[in-house]
Amino acid sequence: MKKIILILSILYSSHLFADFSKKATVAPRLVQSGSEKKWCPITGFKISDFYKTSYIAQLKSNGRYRQYSCIYALLSDEKQNGIDMNSIKVLDIKKQNYIDAKKAYFLVNSSIEATFGRVSTLAFADKNIAIKFSNKYGGRVVDFKNIIAFTQKNLKENLSYMQNIYRKKYYLMGKRIYDKNCKKIDLDNFLEINELEGELSKTKICAKLNQIHMQALALYLWDVKREGGISHESHKIIVKKDEKCPICGMFIYKYPRWATQIFYKYGGYQYHLSFDGVKDMMKFYFN
């Protein structure tokens, strides 16, 4: 009986580790809305291609669900827009369903290639499965609190690392694709990179693109052509379509070139107000 159990255990482990891929092998659960729901709003990566490192969380400002390709994107959005840390769910590698991130076990710094940056992060509902992955791929198993602290500490380093990769490879590829295959695109129509990708996928602005070319084009347009996105993340103003100026009542997203914001803390959380121009912001500030 022990021999049978041992053989079954070996077969199970071999299946679990064989040809590991971050792509979804089940129908992915997508929680965002609109044509942009297939892509991460921070990295622009396609969720189904990085499903096994993906996260779900709600914005504190309006409770809207967002879906991220990796923990870097999650914490970048927390820094920019503020997310409800109690709402975070992460994909369990084994069953490919979302679980409460605070109850998960995380394998960090394994030999598996990172989704974003230098260090890979995988999540598990079962600690024993996490340890098996660690035995095969290296790295260490930590809890939610430790993985958050580790990632926050390395946000700038990961951003710099990815910028170098983008500059050497994706921006040049994206420029060639845009010059050869696309009509002129008005980038002021988009608030986030996944909105741009949703538009590129459903319209005939560009010739038909595979996913790699789509990603390169979107990165080039967002980071270089638009001068926003990941390359200028610390200065990026993100305004949702339901935000109104508290002075004049106008919708801010219609005026992205003039949008301004004030950030403040209350009750231990960070909030912000958006304005359709500097004039209204200064009226609010001085009053």
Side-chain angles (χ1 to χ4, degrees), residues 34-76:
S35 59
E36 64 267 26
K37 67 182 180 180
K38 295 180 181 180
W39 292 273
C40 172
I42 303 300
T43 64
F45 295 171
K46 194 171 185 179
I47 297 298
S48 60
D49 285 348
F50 299 93
Y51 198 53
K52 293 179 184 176
T53 59
S54 65
Y55 290 74
I56 291 173
Q58 289 177 286
L59 293 176
K60 283 190 294 191
S61 60
N62 56 23
R64 185 175 298 170
Y65 279 97
R66 307 260 274 178
Q67 195 161 12
Y68 309 96
S69 58
C70 58
I71 192 170
Y72 166 85
L74 171 85
L75 293 181
S76 292

Tab-separated table of all heavy atoms in Angstrom, residues 34-76:
chain	number	residue	atom	x	y	z
A	34	GLY	N	-15.998	46.109	-19.962
A	34	GLY	CA	-15.620	46.750	-21.207
A	34	GLY	C	-14.610	45.940	-22.002
A	34	GLY	O	-14.168	44.863	-21.593
A	35	SER	N	-14.227	46.488	-23.155
A	35	SER	CA	-13.286	45.785	-24.025
A	35	SER	C	-11.897	45.682	-23.411
A	35	SER	O	-11.093	44.857	-23.815
A	35	SER	CB	-13.192	46.510	-25.372
A	35	SER	OG	-12.765	47.851	-25.196
A	36	GLU	N	-11.617	46.508	-22.369
A	36	GLU	CA	-10.293	46.497	-21.741
A	36	GLU	C	-10.145	45.436	-20.663
A	36	GLU	O	-9.070	45.289	-20.059
A	36	GLU	CB	-9.988	47.864	-21.127
A	36	GLU	CG	-10.888	48.283	-19.986
A	36	GLU	CD	-12.075	49.114	-20.425
A	36	GLU	OE1	-12.492	48.968	-21.592
A	36	GLU	OE2	-12.591	49.882	-19.596
A	37	LYS	N	-11.190	44.643	-20.397
A	37	LYS	CA	-11.178	43.723	-19.269
A	37	LYS	C	-10.144	42.611	-19.391
A	37	LYS	O	-9.784	41.983	-18.386
A	37	LYS	CB	-12.558	43.108	-19.075
A	37	LYS	CG	-13.004	42.177	-20.201
A	37	LYS	CD	-14.402	41.648	-19.936
A	37	LYS	CE	-14.872	40.712	-21.038
A	37	LYS	NZ	-16.235	40.199	-20.780
A	38	LYS	N	-9.629	42.362	-20.603
A	38	LYS	CA	-8.680	41.275	-20.790
A	38	LYS	C	-7.255	41.639	-20.393
A	38	LYS	O	-6.390	40.766	-20.354
A	38	LYS	CB	-8.683	40.832	-22.255
A	38	LYS	CG	-9.993	40.219	-22.723
A	38	LYS	CD	-9.901	39.805	-24.182
A	38	LYS	CE	-11.205	39.200	-24.687
A	38	LYS	NZ	-11.092	38.800	-26.115
A	39	TRP	N	-7.013	42.920	-20.105
A	39	TRP	CA	-5.647	43.370	-19.862
A	39	TRP	C	-5.499	44.030	-18.496
A	39	TRP	O	-6.439	44.613	-17.955
A	39	TRP	CB	-5.216	44.348	-20.947
A	39	TRP	CG	-5.069	43.701	-22.289
A	39	TRP	CD1	-3.974	43.075	-22.802
A	39	TRP	CD2	-6.075	43.594	-23.305
A	39	TRP	NE1	-4.233	42.590	-24.061
A	39	TRP	CE2	-5.507	42.896	-24.409
A	39	TRP	CE3	-7.395	44.025	-23.413
A	39	TRP	CZ2	-6.210	42.617	-25.566
A	39	TRP	CZ3	-8.110	43.754	-24.569
A	39	TRP	CH2	-7.516	43.056	-25.625
A	40	CYS	N	-4.280	43.967	-17.960
A	40	CYS	CA	-3.950	44.599	-16.685
A	40	CYS	C	-3.883	46.114	-16.877
A	40	CYS	O	-3.230	46.590	-17.813
A	40	CYS	CB	-2.605	44.065	-16.194
A	40	CYS	SG	-1.939	44.926	-14.739
A	41	PRO	N	-4.522	46.911	-16.008
A	41	PRO	CA	-4.529	48.361	-16.176
A	41	PRO	C	-3.183	49.028	-15.862
A	41	PRO	O	-2.988	50.190	-16.192
A	41	PRO	CB	-5.599	48.825	-15.180
A	41	PRO	CG	-5.617	47.759	-14.132
A	41	PRO	CD	-5.339	46.478	-14.866
A	42	ILE	N	-2.267	48.306	-15.250
A	42	ILE	CA	-0.966	48.881	-14.897
A	42	ILE	C	0.126	48.446	-15.866
A	42	ILE	O	0.838	49.285	-16.433
A	42	ILE	CB	-0.567	48.482	-13.460
A	42	ILE	CG1	-1.643	48.935	-12.469
A	42	ILE	CG2	0.796	49.083	-13.106
A	42	ILE	CD1	-1.898	50.420	-12.434
A	43	THR	N	0.293	47.154	-16.087
A	43	THR	CA	1.353	46.660	-16.975
A	43	THR	C	0.895	46.542	-18.426
A	43	THR	O	1.733	46.528	-19.333
A	43	THR	CB	1.850	45.279	-16.525
A	43	THR	OG1	0.769	44.330	-16.635
A	43	THR	CG2	2.349	45.318	-15.086
A	44	GLY	N	-0.405	46.415	-18.640
A	44	GLY	CA	-0.911	46.173	-19.990
A	44	GLY	C	-0.799	44.722	-20.421
A	44	GLY	O	-1.152	44.377	-21.548
A	45	PHE	N	-0.330	43.841	-19.545
A	45	PHE	CA	-0.192	42.432	-19.898
A	45	PHE	C	-1.575	41.778	-19.977
A	45	PHE	O	-2.484	42.123	-19.209
A	45	PHE	CB	0.649	41.685	-18.853
A	45	PHE	CG	2.077	42.138	-18.771
A	45	PHE	CD1	2.894	41.688	-17.741
A	45	PHE	CD2	2.623	43.011	-19.700
A	45	PHE	CE1	4.220	42.089	-17.653
A	45	PHE	CE2	3.933	43.423	-19.620
A	45	PHE	CZ	4.744	42.960	-18.594
A	46	LYS	N	-1.701	40.820	-20.874
A	46	LYS	CA	-2.965	40.101	-21.012
A	46	LYS	C	-3.158	39.163	-19.824
A	46	LYS	O	-2.285	38.356	-19.506
A	46	LYS	CB	-2.983	39.310	-22.321
A	46	LYS	CG	-4.365	38.817	-22.709
A	46	LYS	CD	-4.374	38.219	-24.112
A	46	LYS	CE	-5.787	37.837	-24.524
A	46	LYS	NZ	-5.829	37.274	-25.890
A	47	ILE	N	-4.294	39.275	-19.147
A	47	ILE	CA	-4.536	38.529	-17.916
A	47	ILE	C	-4.419	37.029	-18.135
A	47	ILE	O	-3.802	36.309	-17.336
A	47	ILE	CB	-5.923	38.873	-17.344
A	47	ILE	CG1	-6.020	40.355	-16.956
A	47	ILE	CG2	-6.236	37.988	-16.137
A	47	ILE	CD1	-5.072	40.794	-15.885
A	48	SER	N	-4.985	36.508	-19.220
A	48	SER	CA	-4.970	35.064	-19.448
A	48	SER	C	-3.561	34.532	-19.667
A	48	SER	O	-3.288	33.355	-19.387
A	48	SER	CB	-5.857	34.702	-20.636
A	48	SER	OG	-5.399	35.340	-21.820
A	49	ASP	N	-2.636	35.366	-20.167
A	49	ASP	CA	-1.257	34.935	-20.384
A	49	ASP	C	-0.461	34.876	-19.088
A	49	ASP	O	0.561	34.192	-19.005
A	49	ASP	CB	-0.549	35.874	-21.371
A	49	ASP	CG	-0.994	35.659	-22.808
A	49	ASP	OD1	-1.663	34.638	-23.066
A	49	ASP	OD2	-0.697	36.507	-23.656
A	50	PHE	N	-0.913	35.602	-18.077
A	50	PHE	CA	-0.228	35.630	-16.781
A	50	PHE	C	-1.226	35.339	-15.663
A	50	PHE	O	-1.151	35.905	-14.576
A	50	PHE	CB	0.443	36.997	-16.572
A	50	PHE	CG	1.484	37.310	-17.604
A	50	PHE	CD1	1.157	38.024	-18.741
A	50	PHE	CD2	2.789	36.858	-17.462
A	50	PHE	CE1	2.108	38.297	-19.717
A	50	PHE	CE2	3.746	37.125	-18.416
A	50	PHE	CZ	3.408	37.848	-19.545
A	51	TYR	N	-2.137	34.424	-15.969
A	51	TYR	CA	-3.233	34.134	-15.045
A	51	TYR	C	-2.728	33.602	-13.706
A	51	TYR	O	-3.272	33.919	-12.656
A	51	TYR	CB	-4.171	33.123	-15.702
A	51	TYR	CG	-5.544	33.046	-15.071
A	51	TYR	CD1	-6.308	34.187	-14.893
A	51	TYR	CD2	-6.081	31.818	-14.674
A	51	TYR	CE1	-7.581	34.117	-14.331
A	51	TYR	CE2	-7.345	31.741	-14.116
A	51	TYR	CZ	-8.088	32.894	-13.947
A	51	TYR	OH	-9.336	32.824	-13.382
A	52	LYS	N	-1.668	32.801	-13.748
A	52	LYS	CA	-1.190	32.144	-12.526
A	52	LYS	C	-0.395	33.069	-11.616
A	52	LYS	O	0.049	32.642	-10.543
A	52	LYS	CB	-0.371	30.906	-12.893
A	52	LYS	CG	-1.222	29.810	-13.527
A	52	LYS	CD	-0.398	28.605	-13.911
A	52	LYS	CE	-1.236	27.561	-14.626
A	52	LYS	NZ	-0.429	26.407	-15.088
A	53	THR	N	-0.214	34.322	-12.014
A	53	THR	CA	0.382	35.306	-11.103
A	53	THR	C	-0.568	36.484	-10.897
A	53	THR	O	-0.157	37.546	-10.446
A	53	THR	CB	1.728	35.834	-11.639
A	53	THR	OG1	1.528	36.448	-12.929
A	53	THR	CG2	2.742	34.725	-11.764
A	54	SER	N	-1.852	36.293	-11.217
A	54	SER	CA	-2.792	37.412	-11.207
A	54	SER	C	-3.466	37.632	-9.853
A	54	SER	O	-3.517	36.739	-9.007
A	54	SER	CB	-3.860	37.205	-12.289
A	54	SER	OG	-4.654	36.068	-12.006
A	55	TYR	N	-3.987	38.848	-9.703
A	55	TYR	CA	-4.659	39.287	-8.479
A	55	TYR	C	-5.947	40.026	-8.835
A	55	TYR	O	-6.085	40.566	-9.932
A	55	TYR	CB	-3.774	40.240	-7.672
A	55	TYR	CG	-2.574	39.607	-7.023
A	55	TYR	CD1	-1.470	39.233	-7.780
A	55	TYR	CD2	-2.530	39.386	-5.645
A	55	TYR	CE1	-0.360	38.651	-7.182
A	55	TYR	CE2	-1.422	38.814	-5.048
A	55	TYR	CZ	-0.339	38.442	-5.822
A	55	TYR	OH	0.757	37.876	-5.225
A	56	ILE	N	-6.856	40.088	-7.856
A	56	ILE	CA	-8.076	40.880	-7.953
A	56	ILE	C	-8.166	41.741	-6.695
A	56	ILE	O	-7.845	41.283	-5.595
A	56	ILE	CB	-9.321	39.979	-8.046
A	56	ILE	CG1	-9.376	39.238	-9.380
A	56	ILE	CG2	-10.606	40.792	-7.867
A	56	ILE	CD1	-10.490	38.207	-9.446
A	57	ALA	N	-8.605	42.992	-6.853
A	57	ALA	CA	-8.809	43.858	-5.693
A	57	ALA	C	-9.809	44.951	-6.052
A	57	ALA	O	-10.121	45.170	-7.224
A	57	ALA	CB	-7.496	44.469	-5.229
A	58	GLN	N	-10.312	45.643	-5.023
A	58	GLN	CA	-11.260	46.731	-5.216
A	58	GLN	C	-10.611	48.070	-4.887
A	58	GLN	O	-9.843	48.177	-3.916
A	58	GLN	CB	-12.481	46.549	-4.314
A	58	GLN	CG	-13.407	45.411	-4.724
A	58	GLN	CD	-14.553	45.258	-3.748
A	58	GLN	OE1	-14.371	44.763	-2.644
A	58	GLN	NE2	-15.743	45.699	-4.151
A	59	LEU	N	-10.922	49.081	-5.680
A	59	LEU	CA	-10.476	50.435	-5.379
A	59	LEU	C	-11.236	50.957	-4.166
A	59	LEU	O	-12.441	50.721	-4.019
A	59	LEU	CB	-10.719	51.357	-6.571
A	59	LEU	CG	-9.892	51.098	-7.833
A	59	LEU	CD1	-10.340	52.046	-8.942
A	59	LEU	CD2	-8.400	51.280	-7.557
A	60	LYS	N	-10.540	51.683	-3.288
A	60	LYS	CA	-11.198	52.238	-2.112
A	60	LYS	C	-12.178	53.347	-2.474
A	60	LYS	O	-13.189	53.545	-1.802
A	60	LYS	CB	-10.148	52.781	-1.139
A	60	LYS	CG	-9.435	51.714	-0.344
A	60	LYS	CD	-8.591	52.275	0.757
A	60	LYS	CE	-7.433	53.081	0.242
A	60	LYS	NZ	-6.458	53.409	1.321
A	61	SER	N	-11.874	54.075	-3.544
A	61	SER	CA	-12.671	55.250	-3.888
A	61	SER	C	-14.078	54.909	-4.350
A	61	SER	O	-15.035	55.605	-4.023
A	61	SER	CB	-11.961	56.059	-4.980
A	61	SER	OG	-11.783	55.266	-6.150
A	62	ASN	N	-14.224	53.825	-5.106
A	62	ASN	CA	-15.544	53.511	-5.664
A	62	ASN	C	-15.921	52.034	-5.599
A	62	ASN	O	-16.987	51.646	-6.077
A	62	ASN	CB	-15.629	53.994	-7.117
A	62	ASN	CG	-14.510	53.419	-7.984
A	62	ASN	OD1	-13.932	52.380	-7.673
A	62	ASN	ND2	-14.206	54.097	-9.078
A	63	GLY	N	-15.048	51.187	-5.038
A	63	GLY	CA	-15.356	49.769	-4.906
A	63	GLY	C	-15.269	48.976	-6.193
A	63	GLY	O	-15.630	47.802	-6.227
A	64	ARG	N	-14.758	49.610	-7.255
A	64	ARG	CA	-14.672	48.929	-8.543
A	64	ARG	C	-13.577	47.866	-8.510
A	64	ARG	O	-12.498	48.077	-7.971
A	64	ARG	CB	-14.376	49.948	-9.646
A	64	ARG	CG	-14.381	49.354	-11.047
A	64	ARG	CD	-14.210	50.460	-12.075
A	64	ARG	NE	-15.310	51.409	-12.014
A	64	ARG	CZ	-15.319	52.568	-12.672
A	64	ARG	NH1	-14.286	52.925	-13.407
A	64	ARG	NH2	-16.366	53.380	-12.569
A	65	TYR	N	-13.884	46.704	-9.112
A	65	TYR	CA	-12.903	45.621	-9.160
A	65	TYR	C	-11.866	45.869	-10.251
A	65	TYR	O	-12.194	46.329	-11.346
A	65	TYR	CB	-13.591	44.283	-9.408
A	65	TYR	CG	-14.197	43.675	-8.165
A	65	TYR	CD1	-15.551	43.831	-7.880
A	65	TYR	CD2	-13.410	42.950	-7.268
A	65	TYR	CE1	-16.108	43.277	-6.740
A	65	TYR	CE2	-13.958	42.397	-6.129
A	65	TYR	CZ	-15.306	42.560	-5.866
A	65	TYR	OH	-15.852	42.020	-4.731
A	66	ARG	N	-10.627	45.560	-9.919
A	66	ARG	CA	-9.525	45.650	-10.868
A	66	ARG	C	-8.804	44.300	-10.871
A	66	ARG	O	-8.752	43.601	-9.857
A	66	ARG	CB	-8.548	46.741	-10.447
A	66	ARG	CG	-9.201	48.089	-10.206
A	66	ARG	CD	-9.034	48.991	-11.369
A	66	ARG	NE	-7.768	49.702	-11.305
A	66	ARG	CZ	-7.344	50.536	-12.233
A	66	ARG	NH1	-8.068	50.743	-13.311
A	66	ARG	NH2	-6.195	51.166	-12.117
A	67	GLN	N	-8.218	43.948	-12.004
A	67	GLN	CA	-7.524	42.668	-12.131
A	67	GLN	C	-6.109	42.932	-12.623
A	67	GLN	O	-5.901	43.668	-13.589
A	67	GLN	CB	-8.269	41.763	-13.102
A	67	GLN	CG	-7.852	40.304	-13.030
A	67	GLN	CD	-8.904	39.387	-13.656
A	67	GLN	OE1	-9.827	39.845	-14.328
A	67	GLN	NE2	-8.777	38.096	-13.429
A	68	TYR	N	-5.137	42.317	-11.965
A	68	TYR	CA	-3.732	42.636	-12.192
A	68	TYR	C	-2.948	41.409	-12.646
A	68	TYR	O	-3.230	40.291	-12.212
A	68	TYR	CB	-3.103	43.186	-10.912
A	68	TYR	CG	-3.884	44.310	-10.289
A	68	TYR	CD1	-4.794	44.068	-9.269
A	68	TYR	CD2	-3.734	45.623	-10.733
A	68	TYR	CE1	-5.525	45.103	-8.693
A	68	TYR	CE2	-4.448	46.662	-10.169
A	68	TYR	CZ	-5.353	46.393	-9.148
A	68	TYR	OH	-6.074	47.416	-8.589
A	69	SER	N	-1.941	41.635	-13.471
A	69	SER	CA	-1.125	40.540	-13.991
A	69	SER	C	-0.147	40.002	-12.951
A	69	SER	O	0.357	38.892	-13.099
A	69	SER	CB	-0.343	40.999	-15.224
A	69	SER	OG	0.487	42.108	-14.894
A	70	CYS	N	0.133	40.790	-11.914
A	70	CYS	CA	1.143	40.382	-10.928
A	70	CYS	C	1.042	41.265	-9.693
A	70	CYS	O	0.325	42.270	-9.678
A	70	CYS	CB	2.540	40.489	-11.537
A	70	CYS	SG	2.933	42.159	-12.118
A	71	ILE	N	1.806	40.911	-8.665
A	71	ILE	CA	1.769	41.661	-7.415
A	71	ILE	C	2.373	43.050	-7.579
A	71	ILE	O	1.979	43.994	-6.903
A	71	ILE	CB	2.484	40.876	-6.291
A	71	ILE	CG1	2.185	41.515	-4.932
A	71	ILE	CG2	3.987	40.759	-6.564
A	71	ILE	CD1	2.633	40.681	-3.760
A	72	TYR	N	3.321	43.208	-8.504
A	72	TYR	CA	3.875	44.531	-8.753
A	72	TYR	C	2.772	45.490	-9.201
A	72	TYR	O	2.663	46.622	-8.718
A	72	TYR	CB	4.966	44.485	-9.825
A	72	TYR	CG	5.303	45.864	-10.338
A	72	TYR	CD1	6.224	46.653	-9.659
A	72	TYR	CD2	4.660	46.392	-11.456
A	72	TYR	CE1	6.497	47.945	-10.084
A	72	TYR	CE2	4.930	47.680	-11.888
A	72	TYR	CZ	5.848	48.448	-11.205
A	72	TYR	OH	6.092	49.725	-11.622
A	73	ALA	N	1.934	45.058	-10.132
A	73	ALA	CA	0.850	45.900	-10.642
A	73	ALA	C	-0.145	46.224	-9.542
A	73	ALA	O	-0.628	47.355	-9.428
A	73	ALA	CB	0.155	45.198	-11.806
A	74	LEU	N	-0.454	45.227	-8.726
A	74	LEU	CA	-1.376	45.421	-7.608
A	74	LEU	C	-0.900	46.534	-6.682
A	74	LEU	O	-1.634	47.471	-6.359
A	74	LEU	CB	-1.511	44.112	-6.834
A	74	LEU	CG	-2.262	44.177	-5.500
A	74	LEU	CD1	-3.755	44.036	-5.730
A	74	LEU	CD2	-1.779	43.098	-4.540
A	75	LEU	N	0.361	46.464	-6.257
A	75	LEU	CA	0.881	47.433	-5.292
A	75	LEU	C	1.177	48.787	-5.929
A	75	LEU	O	1.150	49.810	-5.249
A	75	LEU	CB	2.122	46.866	-4.609
A	75	LEU	CG	1.841	45.655	-3.709
A	75	LEU	CD1	3.114	45.162	-3.041
A	75	LEU	CD2	0.780	45.990	-2.664
A	76	SER	N	1.442	48.803	-7.215
A	76	SER	CA	1.590	50.078	-7.915
A	76	SER	C	0.256	50.813	-7.944
A	76	SER	O	0.192	52.032	-7.754
A	76	SER	CB	2.092	49.851	-9.343
A	76	SER	OG	3.416	49.379	-9.340
